[in-house]
Amino acid sequence: MWPPYTYHHLLAFLLTFLSYVLLHSSRKTFSNVKVSISAQWTPSAFQQNGSTSSLSPGETWEENKLFADMGEATLFLGALDSIFLFSYAVGLYISGVIGDRFNLRYVLSFGLCGSAVTEFVFGTLTEWLQFYNVYFYCFLWVINGLLQSTVWPCVVAIMGNWFGKSGRGFVFGLWSACASVGNILGAFLASSVLKYGYEYAFLVTSVVQFAGGVVVFFGLLTSPKEIGEFIFLQKQVTVLMTRDTDSQRPLISDDEDELCDEYSIQQRDEEPEPQPKAIGFLQAFCLPGVIPYSLAYACLKLVNYSFFFWLPFYLSKNFGWKEVQADRLSVWYDVGGIVGGTVQGLISDLLGKRAPVLAISLLLAMGALVGYSHSPNNQLVNGALLATTGFLIGGPSNMISSAISADLGRQEALQNSQEALATVTGIVDGTGSIGAAGGQYLVSLIESKLGWMCVFYFFIIMVG
């Protein structure tokens, strides 16, 4: 059923998986520390931590205060989520085109390292310097959205280069768990250092992400075509090292002649193969299936990312659980998404069709949302309902953003003559992010005016 895989396939799988795990772990940090940030941005922060006596009366907290109360801070946090997702969506449209025209490894590494630096400035440096400014936060989150948008189209394109359509549903279903694994990792990293201050949560995840970007830059091969070049360089280094140990050898030895002849023969053999030409943005947008799946993903990603951004906040405020408890309980949604993406991807491979699997899962998801909206104040029951909801919503979301995007970017209409994988992935994920961006502000608005029950009704409409 599946073609044989090599060490290089495994390495590409693991490094691309690691890239998005680290990106999502740092992204998850922001949602996990919202309660701490909103408290820091309001006067109540100084009352809660008992530091009022050590401050100058009156003016001191006024200088650090961004908002008059927690309600205003919550609305601004929702606005930041929307700002991030809008810039992320715009960046995806651009990054997909860039990914099909430049070296994917360079673009991927730049996005990982640049985003890590931006998040460090946003969450850690500003707190260390006691610098609080609404416009500066908005600016940083726009830059962060643009930088993070380079990662997903690149990793999906690299995976599409290494893995063919046979067995893609299962492989991509398993691989697309990277976002959920990143959420789990981010939740545990943030909760483990949150007692020292939210700035240390940003510090830990941004440093780890930057290190991951360096590893990807030096260790990732973006396609099987690079294996030949890599092997040639290895042989060349071996010959040069051997030459250095023998100063009496001529400048050009017989081994080097053979090596050069081998490489030139290899180049001549590969010359007849035409290089794929990158497809235009409008051409990719008009490919069969791209628009319907993009619109469906916009609705689905709105719900999925609402859970991503607001679940710890909801659990803490609605049930009165501690922020650390809410962070760790929220990972069950991601556990459900991991299992859902893998199982549903495997089923779609066996059936040879992906749409029926998605339709059935989303119909069941509507019932799961109704059930979760009536969850009792019990962490065990809440976790079980969360896992079920994640299975039915996160699973289809993972499939559309990975396996289906790869199918669309490698469909027969292209006849293997045009490079479109990164562009198509950017369009699908970009359209989804536009829906998610608008949804985050709506969630905060609906919650502040009508309550959380109406938020869940909104989710049911979007899934249906």
Side-chain angles (χ1 to χ4, degrees):
M1 181 180 176
W2 293 300
Y5 297 131
T6 66
Y7 157 79
H8 297 288
H9 288 84
L10 178 62
L11 187 62
F13 183 101
L14 292 177
L15 286 179
T16 52
F17 188 91
L18 174 68
S19 298
Y20 212 66
V21 164
L22 297 180
L23 188 80
H24 245 262
S25 67
S26 62
R27 191 185 298 178
K28 180 67 172 175
T29 299
F30 180 65
S31 65
N32 284 347
V33 300
K34 276 183 174 178
V35 173
S36 297
I37 291 179
S38 59
Q40 184 66 26
W41 288 349
T42 56
S44 60
F46 300 94
Q47 299 168 1
Q48 290 171 359
N49 61 23
S51 61
T52 306
S53 59
S54 63
L55 300 173
S56 302
E59 302 88 18
T60 303
W61 64 261
E62 283 288 351
E63 293 176 359
N64 293 335
K65 176 179 71 69
L66 286 178
F67 305 101
D69 54 47
M70 294 283 284
E72 290 184 10
T74 301
L75 284 175
F76 180 66
L77 290 172
L80 279 179
D81 289 338
S82 294
I83 287 171
F84 170 82
L85 286 173
F86 272 123
S87 60
Y88 182 73
V90 172
L92 281 168
Y93 289 124
I94 301 171
S95 299
V97 176
I98 293 175
D100 282 332
R101 287 164 172 77
F102 295 94
N103 190 300
L104 291 167
R105 180 166 55 91
Y106 297 158
V107 179
L108 176 58
S109 301
F110 175 77
L112 286 171
C113 294
S115 172
V117 172
T118 305
E119 289 166 350
F120 169 78
V121 174
F122 177 92
T124 304
L125 189 60
T126 55
E127 182 61 27
W128 284 350
L129 298 176
Q130 295 291 294
F131 177 75
Y132 308 100
N133 185 278
V134 170
Y135 300 105
F136 187 62
Y137 285 135
C138 292
F139 170 76
L140 287 177
W141 237 220
V142 169
I143 299 300
N144 192 35
L146 294 174
L147 289 170
Q148 289 203 13
S149 69
T150 63
V151 176
W152 187 249
C154 289
V155 293
V156 172
I158 292 169
M159 283 291 292
N161 290 337
W162 282 99
F163 297 91
K165 188 172 183 178
S166 177
R168 181 179 286 163
F170 174 75
V171 172
F172 272 74
L174 183 63
W175 174 83
S176 64
C178 55
S180 297
V181 172
N183 294 342
I184 295 171
L185 177 64
F188 278 101
L189 287 177
S191 61
S192 63
V193 298
L194 192 57
K195 59 184 177 182
Y196 303 108
Y198 73 83
E199 65 270 25
Y200 291 98
F202 281 102
L203 174 63
V204 171
T205 52
S206 61
V207 168
V208 173
Q209 181 181 319
F210 189 92
V214 175
V215 171
V216 166
F217 181 82
F218 289 104
L220 180 63
L221 295 176
T222 61
S223 72
K225 295 178 182 178
E226 294 186 3
I227 295 179
E229 300 173 11
F230 178 71
I231 294 175
F232 169 74
L233 290 175
Q234 282 186 319
K235 291 181 179 179
Q236 189 179 44
V237 169
T238 303
V239 170
L240 292 175
M241 290 177 64
T242 304
R243 188 184 69 183
D244 289 340
T245 61
D246 186 1
S247 59
Q248 302 300 321
R249 291 186 60 185
L251 292 177
I252 301 179
S253 66
D254 293 338
D255 290 337
E256 288 170 316
D257 283 336
E258 293 176 3
L259 182 58
C260 292
D261 290 341
E262 177 186 344
Y263 187 59
S264 61
I265 291 173
Q266 182 183 3
Q267 284 185 315
R268 285 199 301 270
D269 291 340
E270 293 178 353
E271 280 176 3
E273 296 182 8
Q275 293 295 324
K277 181 181 178 182
I279 195 172
F281 178 83
L282 292 178
Q283 288 177 285
F285 200 82
C286 295
L287 286 173
V290 171
I291 293 178
Y293 276 113
S294 296
L295 294 177
Y297 191 52
C299 297
L300 188 56
K301 192 170 184 177
L302 184 156
V303 178
N304 201 39
Y305 263 58
S306 295
F307 274 91
F308 172 78
F309 281 119
W310 289 102
L311 185 55
F313 186 87
Y314 165 75
L315 293 173
S316 179
K317 291 297 183 182
N318 194 60
F319 296 106
W321 297 331
K322 294 181 180 179
E323 191 174 16
V324 172
Q325 293 176 319
D327 289 345
R328 292 181 176 174
L329 186 64
S330 67
V331 304
W332 287 106
Y333 179 83
D334 297 299
V335 171
I338 293 172
V339 178
T342 306
V343 172
Q344 293 177 36
L346 178 60
I347 294 173
S348 70
D349 279 341
L350 296 175
L351 293 178
K353 297 179 181 180
R354 310 207 193 278
V357 179
L358 294 178
I360 294 173
S361 180
L362 293 177
L363 284 174
L364 295 174
M366 297 173 67
L369 284 170
V370 173
Y372 185 71
S373 65
H374 294 87
S375 173
N377 192 346
N378 181 290
Q379 293 190 17
L380 183 62
V381 175
N382 195 287
L385 291 173
L386 265 181
T388 303
T389 306
F391 181 93
L392 297 171
I393 295 178
S397 178
N398 290 343
M399 281 185 61
I400 294 177
S401 63
S402 58
I404 291 177
S405 293
D407 291 344
L408 295 173
R410 286 277 189 260
Q411 59 182 285
E412 296 178 358
L414 294 170
Q415 298 178 347
N416 296 323
S417 62
Q418 292 177 305
E419 194 66 48
L421 213 163
T423 303
V424 169
T425 302
I427 290 172
V428 173
D429 203 20
T431 306
S433 296
I434 290 177
Q440 301 322 298
Y441 189 75
L442 286 175
V443 167
S444 61
L445 187 63
I446 294 172
E447 187 277 329
S448 63
K449 302 294 184 181
L450 303 173
W452 282 108
M453 187 58 67
C454 290
V455 172
F456 284 104
Y457 291 149
F458 175 59
F459 290 164
I460 293 170
I461 294 172
M462 290 296 101
V463 169

